[in-house]
Amino acid sequence: MGLIPLVPPADGVLPRPGMGQTGVFAKRTFIEETEQVTGGAVTWQEPLEVKLGKAQIDGLLLVHRTDLLTHLPAPWPEARMHEEIMTELKLPGDAVDRRAVERALLRRQARQVQRLEQEDPSWVGHEPLWLIAPDVPGWLGRAYGSVRIAPGCYRLEPLGACVLWIAANELPLLDELTPFLMARSGEALDAFGRWVAPRRPRTWLRAMLKHLPLSTATREALRLTLASTDEGPESGMLMR
């Protein structure tokens, strides 16, 4: 996956985001921030190819230190029972109908078989899947029993701890949850944009304006804020 240029275009125009670039930006946030916000407890790994037609998963969260996850906001503590977590990002505009979710479950099963056949034949666990989407689609409760375990976090029965649905619009605005908050939509996404603006370097904000589907009003307000900010050295670290 190529890196997203974190500089505005030469003409200064920030175009409306394309869905492909939105996904790349969201994944990049997971790549860059997961290790930092979890204190090194979890890292992001680009997935190995799961050979099942076009069954390419978005990524894997690798769990290194379960003790560091205990006091983090949900869903991070749910990672304590796993070594890795298959992660699928369903961003605004992506399909979240029954077919899309069943395909994700099929990819989860393919990864589980891959682990058994190629990595550890003695493994007796089950591959977990975190589905990250703006909200919970109405059909989900009819097809599965969704059990709310924390704000924005739902276990899907009868799949139990194997599958967690993360509704980004319902998650609280916390630095530790920034990677998940990238999947917000509508007014919740605008609220995230306004909240995160003073907490990130200008280069990151330019990328956000370019790649996330913020409303026109919020986009313009943040663009004006950027334009009025005094130029100076920018840190690659998160602003606290």
Side-chain angles (χ1 to χ4, degrees), residues 124-148:
V124 294
H126 299 275
E127 180 70 12
L129 168 64
W130 284 7
L131 283 156
I132 305 161
D135 47 33
V136 179
W139 66 265
L140 195 67
R142 298 190 297 272
Y144 298 96
S146 58
V147 179
R148 185 177 183 270

Side-chain angles (χ1 to χ4, degrees), residues 32-103:
E32 293 181 343
E33 299 198 13
T34 294
E35 183 173 4
Q36 181 173 342
V37 300
T38 63
V42 179
T43 58
W44 175 277
Q45 175 179 292
E46 286 296 289
L48 301 173
E49 181 182 3
V50 177
K51 294 184 178 180
L52 187 68
K54 296 182 179 179
Q56 180 65 38
I57 64 179
D58 285 332
L60 298 171
L61 294 172
L62 304 183
V63 181
H64 306 285
R65 292 278 305 276
T66 57
D67 57 306
L68 297 179
L69 297 172
T70 302
H71 301 295
L72 292 180
W76 289 122
E78 295 299 307
R80 291 175 296 176
M81 64 186 76
H82 307 296
E83 296 175 350
E84 74 168 40
I85 300 164
M86 179 178 152
T87 305
E88 292 240 350
L89 293 166
K90 300 296 184 183
L91 301 171
D94 288 348
V96 288
D97 58 9
R98 179 73 185 270
R99 290 174 296 178
V101 171
E102 292 300 330
R103 285 194 292 267

Side-chain angles (χ1 to χ4, degrees), residues 192-201 204-205 208 222 225 239:
F192 167 70
R194 294 189 297 269
W195 170 82
V196 80
R199 314 174 81 83
R200 290 294 187 277
W204 194 94
L205 295 180
M208 179 185 74
L222 293 177
T225 299
M239 290 184 176

Side-chain angles (χ1 to χ4, degrees), residues 1-233:
M1 180 177 65
L3 294 179
I4 301 172
L6 294 181
V7 294
D11 58 8
V13 176
L14 296 172
R16 299 294 295 179
M19 289 312 302
Q21 289 302 308
T22 301
V24 172
F25 182 52
K27 286 179 64 175
R28 177 171 177 168
T29 301
F30 263 101
I31 292 168
E32 293 181 343
E33 299 198 13
T34 294
E35 183 173 4
Q36 181 173 342
V37 300
T38 63
V42 179
T43 58
W44 175 277
Q45 175 179 292
E46 286 296 289
L48 301 173
E49 181 182 3
V50 177
K51 294 184 178 180
L52 187 68
K54 296 182 179 179
Q56 180 65 38
I57 64 179
D58 285 332
L60 298 171
L61 294 172
L62 304 183
V63 181
H64 306 285
R65 292 278 305 276
T66 57
D67 57 306
L68 297 179
L69 297 172
T70 302
H71 301 295
L72 292 180
W76 289 122
E78 295 299 307
R80 291 175 296 176
M81 64 186 76
H82 307 296
E83 296 175 350
E84 74 168 40
I85 300 164
M86 179 178 152
T87 305
E88 292 240 350
L89 293 166
K90 300 296 184 183
L91 301 171
D94 288 348
V96 288
D97 58 9
R98 179 73 185 270
R99 290 174 296 178
V101 171
E102 292 300 330
R103 285 194 292 267
L105 293 174
L106 185 60
R107 289 189 286 272
R108 184 203 73 84
Q109 185 65 31
R111 173 57 183 156
Q112 181 160 302
V113 173
Q114 183 183 58
R115 290 183 70 176
L116 285 168
E117 292 185 344
Q118 299 181 14
E119 299 175 21
D120 185 4
S122 65
W123 179 56
V124 294
H126 299 275
E127 180 70 12
L129 168 64
W130 284 7
L131 283 156
I132 305 161
D135 47 33
V136 179
W139 66 265
L140 195 67
R142 298 190 297 272
Y144 298 96
S146 58
V147 179
R148 185 177 183 270
I149 61 172
C153 302
Y154 300 83
R155 284 186 182 145
L156 300 189
E157 301 296 347
L159 303 173
C162 288
V163 180
L164 188 67
W165 189 282
I166 300 170
N169 286 354
E170 300 178 25
L171 294 175
L173 294 171
L174 297 171
D175 287 317
E176 296 86 350
L177 299 181
T178 295
F180 303 102
L181 297 172
M182 304 290 288
R184 281 188 164 203
S185 64
E187 293 182 1
L189 178 61
D190 284 348
F192 167 70
R194 294 189 297 269
W195 170 82
V196 80
R199 314 174 81 83
R200 290 294 187 277
R202 290 187 296 277
T203 49
W204 194 94
L205 295 180
R206 292 189 186 104
M208 179 185 74
L209 289 173
K210 182 177 181 180
H211 299 298
L212 293 189
L214 297 161
S215 69
T216 300
T218 298
R219 183 182 303 278
E220 181 64 16
L222 293 177
R223 187 188 66 80
L224 292 175
T225 299
L226 276 174
S228 64
T229 302
D230 292 335
E231 292 297 328

